[in-house]
């Protein structure tokens, strides 16, 4: 046998160790007394973040819904990892998308992400994800919905196009958007109207960016859609995929909510008459699914452009949403509530270092993405975040992440949730209501156990946690 402590004198000795040709070449260099050549430096990965609006966490066929057609999101799930326990935290006014996006981009809870959780201004002291990546040499580009303040937009992104700034998009075929303005003075001179369906228009601009980007600079492309938010008017080809009469009602369908939750007549809840009828809710679901399938097709075009660009192998793709939506569950239509259909969000990652086809149900917030993406990109994590890195779950999907998550809506709804139990507290016009759900046995949140003596310990435990 070869004496491993003796010097190597010949190629034959080296071959007996079973070394590769590359190792032989490197060892030969060392044997001649020269330094081994340095390994080529790997360029940091790009990040493509795709954000839906009003997207229910399970409205993806690969993640549970067997009616909706989402082939491109299904492939994204198959090629990466889905975090099925992801939540947003809520906010203090009816446009929940604003504070949830503030948290998503700052990695902080809504009280710290925003100057005021009842306003749209991100706290200037909070470093945004794009701002941080920009300082590390990334090209940062925004397409689509922003909805927070102009100053935070411009410190986050150095460029952008087709930016939907504020207000309600009342026409999916004529959305009012803006050119990026480096001065931050957005107004009439930067505004114009899209002349095609919003998802197609925004996908066009994301595809255009990917087609134009070249060179060694890594990019952070943030593309935020206005779908499947209402008006739910998908193109005919996608609307025709779903006949209202064929749509199954959710198991927790109700004609009306069992009590006043404080927002029974907010705008979102007035999109259909009260009480809800099965026929109307089936029509709403069909239109909602048509919007989602159209969104899926737009995402498919973006992913195809990424493949064609040559950057796909070195790009982390993120898909998530600002919040979910009721669409007939619990007698509700909108997002101004703290049930799981609204608090939970889709969250999927694909790219280098991410296992394919993996799932984790660990409790998480969508804003845990901030340190996770920094870690995957080899970038330092700014101090002061509330977010927790999801990377350990990539290696061990069943590992613990958070012991619980909390939600809020305005001043009259609060929730606390752990791996099995969920508490929702209401204080509306002097009236108190408490709901307690055993999610292991009642994932649709249909049976309120708050008044049962056998569940009193769980109720009081979560209530004390919420107060603390």
């Amino acid at each position: 046998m070869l004496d491993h402590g003796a010097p190597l004198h010949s190629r034959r000795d080296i071959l007996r160790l079973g070394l590769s040709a590359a190792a032989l070449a490197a060892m030969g260099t060392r044997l001649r007394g020269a330094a081994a050549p340095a390994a080529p430096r790997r360029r940091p990965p790009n990040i493509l973040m795709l954000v839906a609006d009003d997207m229910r966490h399970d409205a993806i066929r690969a993640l549970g819904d067997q009616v909706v057609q989402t082939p491109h999101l299904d492939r994204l799930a198959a090629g990466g990892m889905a975090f099925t326990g992801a939540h947003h935290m809520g906010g203090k006014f009816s446009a929940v998308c604003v504070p949830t996006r503030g948290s998503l981009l700052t990695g902080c809870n809504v009280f710290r992400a925003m100057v005021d959780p009842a306003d749209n201004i991100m706290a200037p002291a909070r470093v945004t994800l794009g701002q941080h990546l920009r300082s590390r040499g990334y090209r940062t580009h925004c397409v689509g919905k922003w909805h927070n303040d102009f100053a935070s937009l411009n410190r986050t992104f150095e460029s952008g196009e087709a930016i939907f700034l504020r207000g309600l998009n009342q026409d999916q075929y004529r959305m009012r958007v803006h050119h990026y303005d480096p001065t931050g003075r957005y107004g009439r001179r930067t505004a114009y109207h899209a002349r095609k369906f919003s998802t197609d228009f925004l996908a066009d601009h994301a595809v255009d960016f990917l087609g134009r980007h070249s060179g060694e600079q890594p990019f952070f492309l943030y593309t935020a859609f206005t779908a499947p938010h209402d008006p739910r008017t998908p193109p005919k080809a996608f609307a025709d995929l779903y006949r209202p009469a064929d749509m199954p009602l959710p198991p927790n369908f109700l004609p009306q909510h069992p009590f006043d939750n404080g927002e029974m007549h907010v705008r979102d809840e007035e999109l259909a008459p009260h009480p809800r009828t099965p026929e109307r809710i089936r029509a709403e679901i069909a239109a909602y699914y048509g919007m989602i399938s159209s969104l899926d097709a737009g995402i498919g075009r973006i992913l195809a452009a990424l493949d064609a660009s040559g950057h796909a192998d070195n790009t982390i793709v993120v898909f998530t949403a600002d919040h979910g939506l009721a669409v007939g569950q619990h007698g509700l239509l909108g997002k101004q509530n703290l049930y799981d259909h609204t608090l939970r969000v889709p969250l999927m990652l694909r790219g280098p270092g991410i296992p394919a086809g993996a799932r984790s149900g660990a409790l998480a917030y969508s804003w845990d993405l901030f340190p996770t993406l920094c870690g995957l990109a080899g970038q330092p994590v700014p101090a002061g975040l509330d977010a927790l890195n999801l990377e350990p779950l990539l290696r061990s999907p069943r590992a613990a992440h958070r012991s619980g998550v909390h939600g809020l809506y305005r001043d009259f709804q609060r929730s606390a949730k752990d791996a099995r139990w969920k508490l929702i507290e209401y204080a509306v016009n002097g009236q108190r209501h408490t709901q307690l759900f055993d999610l292991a046995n009642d994932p649709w949140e249909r049976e309120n156990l708050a008044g049962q003596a056998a569940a009193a310990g769980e109720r009081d435990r979560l209530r004390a946690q919420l107060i603390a």
Side-chain angles (χ1 to χ4, degrees):
M1 292 183 64
L2 182 67
D3 180 0
H4 289 266
L8 300 174
H9 296 291
S10 71
R11 183 177 181 85
R12 180 178 297 174
D13 288 337
I14 295 169
L15 287 172
R16 289 171 62 191
L17 290 176
L19 299 177
S20 67
L24 284 171
M27 188 169 288
T29 301
R30 288 195 297 274
L31 289 172
R32 291 191 298 271
R41 185 177 179 183
R42 183 171 176 269
R43 187 169 67 87
N46 309 301
I47 299 172
L48 168 60
M49 182 178 284
L50 305 167
V51 183
D53 193 350
D54 280 15
M55 178 84 171
R56 211 179 63 220
H57 69 97
D58 58 350
I60 298 170
R61 183 174 287 247
L63 300 185
D65 192 316
Q66 295 305 298
V67 177
V68 71
Q69 298 182 39
T70 54
H72 302 290
L73 289 172
D74 294 348
R75 282 196 287 273
L76 189 63
M81 185 165 185
F83 297 87
T84 59
H87 296 68
H88 74 88
M89 192 176 184
K92 292 192 69 178
F93 66 125
S94 59
V96 180
C97 62
V98 175
T100 58
R101 290 165 192 261
S103 287
L104 178 66
L105 287 161
T106 63
C108 294
N109 71 59
V110 294
F111 293 100
R112 299 183 66 238
M114 312 301 290
V115 169
D116 181 340
D119 203 348
N120 72 333
I121 301 174
M122 284 192 208
R126 305 285 170 247
V127 176
T128 68
L129 176 60
Q131 183 182 3
H132 180 58
L133 293 173
R134 189 175 176 181
S135 74
R136 304 293 301 177
Y138 274 72
R139 165 82 185 278
T140 59
H141 187 84
C142 177
V143 172
K145 182 170 179 174
W146 181 245
H147 260 47
N148 294 91
D149 61 290
F150 301 163
S152 62
L153 168 66
N154 277 43
R155 65 186 167 95
T156 300
F157 303 104
E158 64 185 278
S159 62
E161 190 50 79
I163 303 169
F164 176 44
L165 287 175
R166 288 180 179 169
L168 176 66
N169 178 27
Q170 300 192 32
D171 186 345
Q172 297 285 10
Y173 296 84
R174 191 172 161 77
M175 180 172 61
R176 187 174 188 264
V177 293
H178 289 259
H179 300 295
Y180 179 86
D181 184 351
T183 71
R185 299 190 186 98
Y186 296 93
R188 287 186 179 180
R189 66 181 181 81
T190 60
Y192 64 103
H193 286 89
R195 298 191 179 275
K196 61 166 59 176
F197 186 66
S198 63
T199 297
D200 298 334
F201 181 73
L202 298 177
D204 285 349
H205 284 282
V207 167
D208 180 65
F209 174 87
L210 291 169
R212 288 185 292 105
H213 184 81
S214 61
E216 291 300 306
Q217 184 182 20
F219 64 78
F220 171 52
L221 172 57
Y222 178 85
T223 302
F225 296 93
T226 57
H229 195 291
D230 68 274
R232 293 187 272 273
T233 53
K236 186 176 186 303
F238 296 100
D240 288 349
L241 293 174
Y242 305 99
R243 292 179 64 246
D246 295 337
M247 296 298 102
L249 290 174
N252 53 5
F253 164 77
L254 290 174
Q256 60 187 28
H257 195 261
F259 54 85
D260 183 0
N261 71 357
E263 288 286 36
M264 299 306 299
H265 297 285
V266 69
R267 175 200 165 274
D268 287 24
E269 297 302 335
E270 295 299 302
L271 295 176
H274 302 265
R276 318 305 190 189
T277 64
E279 295 75 20
R280 180 55 184 262
I281 293 305
R282 287 190 174 97
E284 293 288 339
I285 292 170
Y288 185 62
Y289 284 172
M291 293 290 287
I292 291 172
S293 289
S294 171
L295 171 66
D296 179 79
I299 288 172
R301 286 205 297 121
I302 294 172
L303 296 178
L306 179 64
D307 289 339
S309 74
H311 297 303
D313 289 343
N314 195 39
T315 298
I316 298 166
V317 179
V318 182
F319 176 73
T320 190
D322 46 9
H323 46 70
L325 203 67
V327 202
Q329 299 185 51
H330 295 103
L332 304 172
L333 284 180
K335 52 189 168 280
Q336 294 81 11
N337 65 83
L338 300 181
Y339 293 109
D340 267 15
H341 50 65
T342 294
L343 274 184
R344 292 175 65 184
V345 294
L347 178 57
M348 298 192 292
L349 293 174
R350 188 196 76 183
I354 300 165
R359 302 285 185 275
S360 173
L363 292 175
Y365 288 114
S366 56
W367 32 276
D368 287 339
L369 278 169
F370 195 140
T372 306
L373 293 174
C374 288
L376 289 169
Q379 305 301 324
V381 179
L385 303 187
D386 298 316
L388 300 178
N389 195 328
L390 295 164
E391 283 187 285
L393 296 175
L394 302 178
R395 298 184 291 272
S396 180
R398 293 182 178 274
H401 181 65
R402 290 181 178 273
S403 60
V405 292
H406 299 82
L408 67 135
Y409 178 69
R410 295 187 62 176
D411 291 329
F412 41 75
Q413 296 182 29
R414 296 291 185 271
S415 69
K417 176 180 176 180
D418 62 21
R420 176 172 177 176
W421 296 90
K422 179 166 174 193
L423 175 79
I424 310 178
E425 296 275 19
Y426 303 81
V428 178
N429 297 325
Q431 299 294 312
R432 294 294 301 268
H433 293 278
T434 300
Q435 292 174 312
L436 180 71
F437 301 109
D438 177 359
L439 299 175
N441 296 302
D442 180 24
W444 292 93
E445 298 170 301
R446 290 185 290 180
E447 184 180 4
N448 182 10
L449 304 178
Q452 295 192 10
E458 305 294 348
R459 180 200 63 207
D460 293 346
R461 176 180 61 81
L462 287 175
R463 180 177 285 163
Q465 181 190 110
L466 185 59
I467 292 171

